[in-house]
Structure formats: structure tokens, C-alpha cells
Amino acid sequence: MDASQAHSDPLPITLLTGFLGSGKTTVLNHLVRTLPRTAILMNEFGEVALDHQLLQKMEGPMALLSGGCVCCTISGSLSPTLKNLWMARQKGDIPPFERVIIETTGIADPAPVLDNLLHDNWVRARFRLDGVVTTVDALFGMGQLDEHFEAVKQVAVADRLLLTKTDLAPVESVAALRERLTTLNPAADIVTVTNGELDPAIIQNLGLWNAATRSLEVARWLKPQRYQPASSGTLGGKPTAALHDARIQAFSVVLDAPLDRCGLQSALSMLTSFRAENLLRFKAIVNLQDEPQPVVLHGVQHVLYPEVKLDAWPDDDHRSRFVFIVRDLEPEFVAKLLADFSGAARSQAGATP
């Protein structure tokens, strides 16, 4: 079975996060109206007030919504809820939804949800993480990023950032916030959203696997050219004085020679086991000595995703390329750890061409 076939069957899950008051409710209400056959998972109905006009009837923890959607409260951990939802779908008790949106609380750390999705084999066989979408308040986002590291972490792990309430904020403030978000997470595209209205396609196909093209799109997903090399000694290419931002580094590491698998696993294990709080997110495409195919790696804090083998390299550059977003972790330390353990020299340039 090739990589595309392996990823075509599980239903895509979008994790919708964002700090308190950043507009998740408004975005979610719009998505329910415009994205049919979707299952919405949330902690409590009362916490995210879906418009009552959308609710057709309540059945315990589930609510049927207009457009062939279903809403479900998360009971206990995420896995039992996904299992119950899947079984109800199979039995025909609810509409046959085609995707899932999980809405987190405003102060939630996304990592435990990702951990749940990846480490439950039953769930992983039926669902796949399509991407993390984070809403950011243009009016109060700067202050939230200054005061709450949870807000910084939600931005750092995102695949797509939705900038809300730009019509209420001064133009200069919006521009400054955009620059800050780009520094914190260079790979995440920023989309302006007014009154929660957005094209549903904006939040879909954000991961490695693109269901629209039925292919694995490494370059689009990795975006290594947006990261500064580890040797630059700067934060995203530009120093910043913000309290939390000064502790965040977004950088790339390029290793020239094929890597020793065991050594690389040891290096990544050290980072995910002993420096998990510091490792906000990393992505990589690597050239392993014992593997003829390129391998894609991905991790969030202590969560290390299963490796994905590609049929071929996406371009002529066969060097191993890593991109990291870390907190209180020196880029040079990470680069040296990878190079020393995997037995490969770093590129002198330190960045992809």
C-alpha cells in the first residue's frame, strides 16, 4: 500500500483553538452553516454557544444540526467520544459525517488532544489530524500573547492562523500583530476573518496529506524557506523585546549526509522526553542511511507522530531538513544534538536553498 492509499480512508480532524474571546464561536457557527456533513466536538454546549436555530434535536450528548452535521460533547477523554461518534455513524443513528472539528477551550493546551489522536490505535485507524487552526484577536491579541503563554503555544502549533476583529483594531496594531505572529510561527499562513465568515477550504487540507489532490505535499507543509538557520542567532531573523517572544525561537536545521536512524531516534527521544515543554513543534523530511525512501517526521512537545515514507523526494535536494519552534531551547544546541547523534555534518549555510 502506498502512502496516499494509507492516508485516504481515515476521516480528517481539524483542531480549532484560540484564546478566550478570540472568535472561535463565531467561526464555528459559520462553518456549521457552510461545511455540511461535519461532526463538531466540544467540551460543553454552553461554553461555545452554537446558534439555537442550528439545533434540530438533542439526543443525550449529541445534537443534530442543519446541513447534515452533528454536535457532540466530549465525555471524559477524547477517545471514547470519537468511538461513540464513529459507532453511531456506522449504525446510521446519525448522518454520515465526512470530517470532524474539535473545538478546545480558550486556555487549552492543544498537545494533549494531539496526543490522544495519535496514541490510540483504534482512533488513529479511523481518523487523522488534518491541521490545527488558531483564532487570534486583532484587538486584544498583543496583550494576550504578552500575558498568557497558552496563547503563544496555540499560535506556535498552528497550521493556519485566523486573524479576527481586524475591523475593530487600528491598522498599525493589526500590522504589528501580523509581524509578531509571523515571527512566532513562520510556516502558518495568516487569514483575515470578518464576522466569522471564511471559505471552508481555508481550514482544510492543512497537513501533509492533501485530500483534494490525493497526494503528499511536503514542500507546502514544511515551508522550510520561511525559517532562519539555527546559526543565525536571531528570532525569526529579527530580535524582539516581548517577554514570551524572547523565549521563542523558530529556526531550521539542514544536515548534508544521510542520517543514522538509531542516532536520530535517540536525539528526538531526548528532546521529546526531557525537553517536551521546550519543544513546541517540529517538522522534518530526512534522508536515512538504511531507508531508500525519504521519511517525514513531525512532533508537538512530547507527541512524536508516526513516520511517513514518501515514494520519492519532492525536489532535487536530498538533504535532511528540519524546522523547529521551541521555547527556552537554544537553536545551536538542537542542531548540534541532531548532527552529533545522527552522524551527519550540518550544512554551512544552515538553510535550504
Side-chain angles (χ1 to χ4, degrees):
M1 178 181 296
D2 62 28
S4 62
Q5 289 174 325
H7 286 254
S8 62
D9 293 332
L11 298 179
I13 289 181
T14 299
L15 183 62
L16 178 62
T17 187
F19 204 71
L20 294 167
S22 60
K24 292 190 302 297
T25 301
T26 309
V27 168
L28 198 56
N29 274 300
H30 179 78
L31 290 173
V32 169
R33 289 189 176 92
T34 58
L35 200 57
R37 294 180 175 273
T38 299
I40 311 292
L41 270 62
M42 57 185 63
N43 290 336
E44 295 180 5
F45 287 125
E47 186 168 347
V48 177
L50 289 176
D51 288 349
H52 68 275
Q53 293 93 342
L54 299 173
L55 299 176
Q56 294 182 351
K57 65 176 180 175
M58 300 288 291
E59 294 182 354
M62 293 187 185
L64 296 183
L65 308 178
S66 59
C69 297
V70 60
C71 188
C72 185
T73 54
I74 298 176
S75 177
S77 66
L78 179 60
S79 291
T81 303
L82 286 171
K83 291 177 182 179
N84 291 337
L85 201 60
W86 176 272
M87 296 307 296
R89 177 184 185 269
Q90 295 302 98
K91 294 177 182 177
D93 295 338
I94 59 175
F97 59 89
E98 298 173 352
R99 64 189 61 81
V100 178
I101 297 177
I102 300 175
E103 190 277 339
T104 72
T105 62
I107 58 173
D109 179 355
V113 177
L114 302 178
D115 191 2
N116 208 171
L117 293 176
L118 290 167
H119 290 164
D120 187 307
N121 291 332
W122 191 97
V123 170
R124 201 171 71 197
R126 294 160 179 82
F127 300 94
R128 61 175 175 83
L129 178 67
D130 184 49
V132 179
V133 177
T134 300
T135 54
V136 181
D137 189 326
L139 195 59
F140 300 110
M142 277 291 198
Q144 291 167 347
L145 291 170
D146 285 340
E147 298 174 17
H148 304 280
F149 184 64
E150 294 86 357
V152 176
K153 187 179 294 186
Q154 290 168 352
V155 168
V157 302
D159 295 291
R160 177 78 23 100
L161 296 170
L162 304 182
L163 192 56
T164 65
K165 307 180 186 178
T166 54
D167 54 324
L168 304 178
V171 175
E172 299 81 5
S173 299
V174 174
L177 180 58
R178 278 182 170 273
E179 183 177 359
R180 186 173 181 181
L181 296 175
T182 300
T183 300
L184 289 173
N185 188 340
D189 292 327
I190 303 172
V191 178
T192 299
V193 176
T194 303
N195 297 323
E197 298 182 3
L198 75 163
D199 182 350
I202 289 173
I203 69 158
Q204 299 180 71
N205 299 317
L206 301 183
L208 177 66
W209 166 248
N210 188 333
T213 61
R214 299 188 64 79
S215 62
L216 294 170
E217 299 181 0
V218 180
R220 173 187 60 84
W221 174 75
L222 195 64
K223 298 176 183 173
Q225 70 279 4
R226 297 191 182 184
Y227 289 76
Q228 295 295 317
S231 58
S232 69
T234 62
L235 173 61
K238 184 176 182 179
T240 177
L243 175 62
H244 290 304
D245 299 22
R247 304 172 67 182
I248 304 293
Q249 297 275 8
F251 61 92
S252 66
V253 176
V254 178
L255 301 177
D256 291 331
L259 310 182
D260 175 73
R261 178 187 290 272
C262 293
L264 178 59
Q265 289 175 341
S266 296
L268 294 177
S269 178
M270 288 180 65
L271 289 174
T272 56
S273 299
F274 301 108
R275 305 300 294 271
E277 288 301 313
N278 308 97
L279 181 63
L280 299 183
R281 189 168 191 179
F282 87 92
K283 300 177 181 179
I285 179 171
V286 297
N287 186 346
L288 299 176
Q289 295 172 359
D290 63 347
E291 178 60 60
Q293 299 169 279
V295 174
V296 171
L297 304 174
H298 183 202
V300 175
Q301 291 187 239
H302 65 282
V303 183
L304 192 60
Y305 290 54
E307 67 177 43
V308 176
K309 295 179 183 178
L310 305 181
D311 291 334
W313 285 87
D315 51 40
D316 293 333
D317 187 356
H318 292 189
R319 297 176 299 171
S320 296
R321 288 160 273 173
F322 299 79
V323 293
F324 287 90
I325 300 177
V326 301
R327 179 198 190 197
D328 295 333
L329 195 58
E330 286 297 321
E332 282 298 320
F333 167 79
V334 176
K336 189 174 187 304
L337 182 72
L338 291 173
D340 289 350
F341 273 77
S342 59
R346 269 188 290 164
S347 167
Q348 292 204 355
T352 55

